[in-house]
């Protein structure tokens, strides 16, 4: 009995550490989708080949709901929304937004409330603006990025408050806000942030080949990040979406972030996405040492306007 109690407490502690180090992954994992480069050789040679004809794969008002579970226990949630169409600096854009947070016991151990917003140029298929607001325990980070398509650069500013300590719920006495700003140059012509890259990928058609290695380059926070991806296999999975069990034809992808490593040293990540229109992310599985498996699954789909508002 004593041995089991020690094992359980160890799992709880490791889960707390995993949440603390990787809650941002609740959002960033949604960037791991099938990319048009999967159709070509690996890695893609610069400059990239012209993209295939666009495909209407999502609509204004699309709202996707996900659950995050440790075993059978829900520890978090995530949402993705195609919010509206606007004009930003004279350019017609779509506004994307995603939210993620902890619930239940995980919320008591480590409250999380993260939100990311992106303005996406519909014609050029690139980011024009990105905002990330992270609230994780006593850790806060707010980042704003303005992309300039004329100079292929990005102006960013960021403020960070590192208030977490090793003791749960304790606030660091010496913590204070830190401010940074800068300019990133020589960005790819079709630069995307970690949210808009999802919809960029979904806007193109094409069948991915199995056992193919390819790369996604995105601007995350204050730097260009290269994500290595490898398609594993095709698989039919069953998920309970909108209260109904449904079968989905998927392609399984394994992502590896080679520059920043959100899940570095925490285990293997596998992602299941639809292999046909509308190419939605369906499930993510993270194998974490000691703790076990963390799963993110699509639970509900809806349109906040009740009809297609994409035109």
């Amino acid at each position: 009995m004593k041995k089991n109690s020690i094992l359980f407490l160890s799992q709880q502690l490791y889960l707390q550490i995993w949440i603390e180090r990787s809650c941002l992954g609740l959002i960033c994992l949604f960037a791991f989708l099938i990319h048009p480069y999967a159709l070509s050789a690996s890695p893609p040679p610069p400059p990239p080949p012209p993209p295939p004809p666009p495909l209407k794969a999502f609509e204004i008002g699309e709202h996707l709901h996900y659950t995050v579970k440790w075993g059978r226990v829900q520890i978090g949630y995530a949402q993705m929304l195609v919010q509206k169409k606007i004009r930003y600096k004279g350019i017609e854009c779509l506004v994307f937004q995603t939210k993620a947070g902890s619930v239940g016991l995980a919320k008591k151990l480590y409250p999380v409330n993260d939100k990311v917003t992106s303005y996406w140029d519909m014609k050029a298929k690139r980011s024009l603006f990105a905002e990330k607001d992270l609230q994780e325990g006593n850790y806060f980070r707010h980042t704003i990025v303005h992309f300039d398509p004329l100079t292929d650069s990005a102006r960013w500013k960021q403020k960070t408050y590192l208030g977490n300590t090793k003791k749960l719920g304790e606030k660091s006495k010496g913590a204070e806000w830190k401010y940074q700003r800068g300019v990133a140059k020589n960005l790819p012509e079709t630069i995307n942030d970690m949210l808009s890259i999802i919809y960029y990928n979904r806007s193109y058609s094409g069948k991915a080949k199995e056992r193919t290695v390819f790369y996604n380059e995105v601007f995350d926070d204050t730097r260009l990040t290269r994500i290595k991806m490898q398609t594993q296999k095709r698989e039919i999975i069953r998920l309970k979406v909108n209260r109904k069990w449904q079968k989905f034809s998927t392609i399984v992808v394994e992502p590896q972030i080679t520059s920043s490593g959100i899940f570095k040293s925490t285990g293997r990540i596998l992602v299941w996405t639809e292999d046909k229109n509308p190419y939605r992310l369906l499930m993510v599985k993270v194998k974490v040492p000691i703790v076990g498996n963390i799963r993110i699954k699509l639970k509900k789909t809806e349109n906040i306007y009740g009809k297609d508002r994409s035109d």
Side-chain angles (χ1 to χ4, degrees), residues 3-17 290-291:
K3 184 178 179 180
N4 292 337
S5 299
I6 293 174
L7 177 60
F8 178 75
L9 289 173
S10 299
Q11 290 177 327
Q12 291 289 315
L13 177 60
Y14 198 93
L15 178 61
Q16 174 195 333
I17 295 171
I290 302 177
V291 171

Side-chain angles (χ1 to χ4, degrees), residues 34-227:
I34 304 303
H35 192 277
Y37 287 144
L39 304 175
S40 61
S42 154
L55 175 70
K56 183 178 174 181
F58 51 88
E59 59 188 32
I60 295 176
E62 179 192 72
H63 196 186
L64 306 179
H65 300 258
Y66 297 83
T67 60
V68 183
K69 290 187 176 183
W70 171 42
R72 295 185 178 182
V73 180
Q74 183 174 352
I75 61 173
Y77 73 91
Q79 300 177 10
M80 294 183 62
L81 174 64
V82 184
Q83 195 171 47
K84 57 185 175 181
K85 184 188 294 185
I86 64 169
R87 293 196 71 84
Y88 178 71
K89 295 184 177 181
I91 300 175
E92 193 171 48
C93 297
L94 286 177
V95 178
F96 304 133
Q97 189 175 89
T98 183
K99 297 179 181 180
S102 52
V103 299
L105 176 61
K107 186 175 182 179
K108 293 180 180 179
L109 290 172
Y110 195 79
V112 173
N113 184 20
D114 295 348
K115 182 171 73 173
V116 178
T117 303
S118 175
Y119 296 175
W120 191 62
D121 185 337
M122 299 171 60
K123 292 184 178 179
K125 298 185 181 297
R126 60 171 292 159
S127 294
L128 292 179
F129 172 84
E131 181 177 13
K132 182 182 291 185
D133 189 14
L134 308 181
Q135 302 177 30
E136 303 174 355
N138 291 312
Y139 167 85
F140 304 91
R141 174 177 286 181
H142 184 239
T143 308
I144 293 179
V145 183
H146 296 272
F147 297 93
D148 187 346
L150 298 179
T151 60
D152 291 327
S153 64
R155 291 181 295 106
W156 58 267
K157 60 181 181 179
Q158 184 180 82
K159 61 179 182 178
T160 307
Y161 184 86
L162 302 174
N164 287 330
T165 66
K166 293 182 179 180
K167 187 175 180 180
L168 186 63
E170 183 180 70
K171 189 175 181 180
S172 175
K173 294 181 180 179
E176 59 183 19
W177 284 99
K178 294 184 179 180
Y179 300 86
Q180 293 179 296
R181 62 175 62 236
V183 178
K185 300 180 180 180
N186 301 318
L187 298 178
E189 184 176 348
T190 54
I191 187 64
N192 279 272
D193 57 75
M194 287 292 276
L195 175 56
S196 69
I197 190 66
I198 303 170
Y199 298 95
Y200 172 81
N201 291 340
R202 288 180 60 187
S203 67
Y204 293 108
S205 62
K207 284 286 186 179
K209 298 178 181 179
E210 296 182 27
R211 296 294 176 182
T212 300
V213 176
F214 58 101
Y215 297 83
N216 267 341
E217 289 189 324
V218 298
F219 194 85
D220 182 35
D221 285 333
T222 62
R223 61 187 180 276
L224 191 65
T225 299
R226 197 182 200 207
I227 306 174

Side-chain angles (χ1 to χ4, degrees), residues 218-284:
V218 298
F219 194 85
D220 182 35
D221 285 333
T222 62
R223 61 187 180 276
L224 191 65
T225 299
R226 197 182 200 207
I227 306 174
K228 180 181 178 181
M229 316 280 284
Q230 180 171 347
T231 57
Q232 297 293 332
K233 60 180 179 179
R234 282 189 163 76
E235 187 176 349
I236 303 295
I237 64 172
R238 294 180 72 249
L239 291 178
K240 194 173 185 179
V241 180
N242 296 334
R243 299 182 180 181
K244 295 181 180 179
W245 286 101
Q246 303 179 44
K247 289 184 178 181
F248 297 92
S249 177
T250 71
I251 183 75
V252 184
V253 183
E254 182 174 2
Q256 296 176 358
I257 302 179
T258 57
S259 61
S260 58
I262 293 171
F263 283 97
K264 189 175 180 180
S265 301
T266 60
R268 188 184 186 192
I269 306 170
L270 293 175
V271 180
W272 284 256
T273 66
E274 289 180 289
D275 67 352
K276 59 182 179 181
N277 188 24
Y279 301 100
R280 295 170 298 188
L281 182 143
L282 299 173
M283 182 171 68
V284 179

